[in-house]
Amino acid sequence: MTGGRDSRRNRPDGGTNSGSDRHRILRELRGELTRHPAVRSVEGKPPEESRELQATLDPSWFGREAGTASLRVTWIPDPSPGPEASDRANDTWMRTPIRAYYTLHYSESGGLDCGFHCEPNPHVDGLLHYQERGHENDTYTYEPVSLDARSVVGLLWEMMDALDDQIDDSK
């Protein structure tokens, strides 16, 4: 609190009212996703609450031959990490300026399952990572990543570009 005002109110991750902020942010991301050339459709799930977004994608846009592909987007604004990460000055938060838990996860009927996750995961140090498995029965591989976007919309577009690069490398 600075000068009697909550300094988190103007943060790009949506501030402090988690439920309504999440809904507002996901609504904004939904509008942005409809502009992406790979997206055929996108909707909030469940429709009345929109706790996450589900998009149907054209896998051929990514150079993939799968029959169908989907994208799942989640967002938890301003999460409260455990005590070891509460100072937000260690690697837990250093690879992204956006202070939220989020996922952008791609799946296709051909088996590829991958995405960017910023959330606690015992398989990686810190929160932000890319995970991938080539087929449903494979185990995920994990690698730490860094993202530079400073706004929610910028982050979405940066992750979509990075997803395109990662999927291209998966061929």
Side-chain angles (χ1 to χ4, degrees), residues 2 14 17 33 41-42 54 62 72 78 94 99-100 105 113 118 130 140 150 161-162:
T2 307
N17 188 349
L33 278 172
S41 66
V42 61
Q54 293 281 332
F62 296 101
R72 184 173 70 91
D78 198 28
M94 293 305 292
R99 301 298 191 252
H105 199 90
D113 186 62
C118 186
Y130 174 79
Y140 281 106
R150 301 190 69 76
D161 287 345

Side-chain angles (χ1 to χ4, degrees), residues 141-158:
T141 59
Y142 301 88
E143 64 184 77
V145 294
S146 294
L147 298 170
D148 297 322
R150 301 190 69 76
S151 71
V152 174
V153 169
L155 181 66
L156 174 68
W157 286 100
E158 184 177 356

Side-chain angles (χ1 to χ4, degrees), residues 27-48:
R27 198 172 51 242
E28 184 176 359
L29 293 177
R30 180 180 179 180
E32 290 296 318
L33 278 172
T34 62
R35 294 167 182 63
H36 193 280
V39 175
R40 292 180 176 161
S41 66
V42 61
E43 60 185 307
K45 294 287 185 172
E48 62 282 352

Side-chain angles (χ1 to χ4, degrees), residues 69-166:
S70 64
L71 186 72
R72 184 173 70 91
V73 178
T74 65
W75 192 271
I76 300 173
D78 198 28
S80 298
E84 69 284 352
S86 62
D87 65 2
R88 298 182 183 204
N90 59 27
D91 188 53
T92 299
W93 288 105
M94 293 305 292
R95 292 193 306 261
T96 177
I98 305 288
R99 301 298 191 252
Y101 289 165
Y102 50 87
T103 60
L104 181 116
H105 199 90
Y106 174 92
S107 300
E108 65 180 36
S109 58
L112 180 63
D113 186 62
C114 61
F116 295 93
H117 294 239
C118 186
E119 60 190 5
N121 183 320
H123 301 290
V124 294
D125 290 329
L127 298 172
L128 184 56
H129 62 278
Y130 174 79
Q131 63 186 59
E132 179 178 315
R133 65 181 180 184
H135 298 286
E136 186 176 305
N137 296 329
D138 293 347
T139 57
Y140 281 106
T141 59
Y142 301 88
E143 64 184 77
V145 294
S146 294
L147 298 170
D148 297 322
R150 301 190 69 76
S151 71
V152 174
V153 169
L155 181 66
L156 174 68
W157 286 100
E158 184 177 356
M159 286 192 297
M160 289 299 287
D161 287 345
L163 181 65
D164 184 27
D165 291 343
Q166 291 285 357

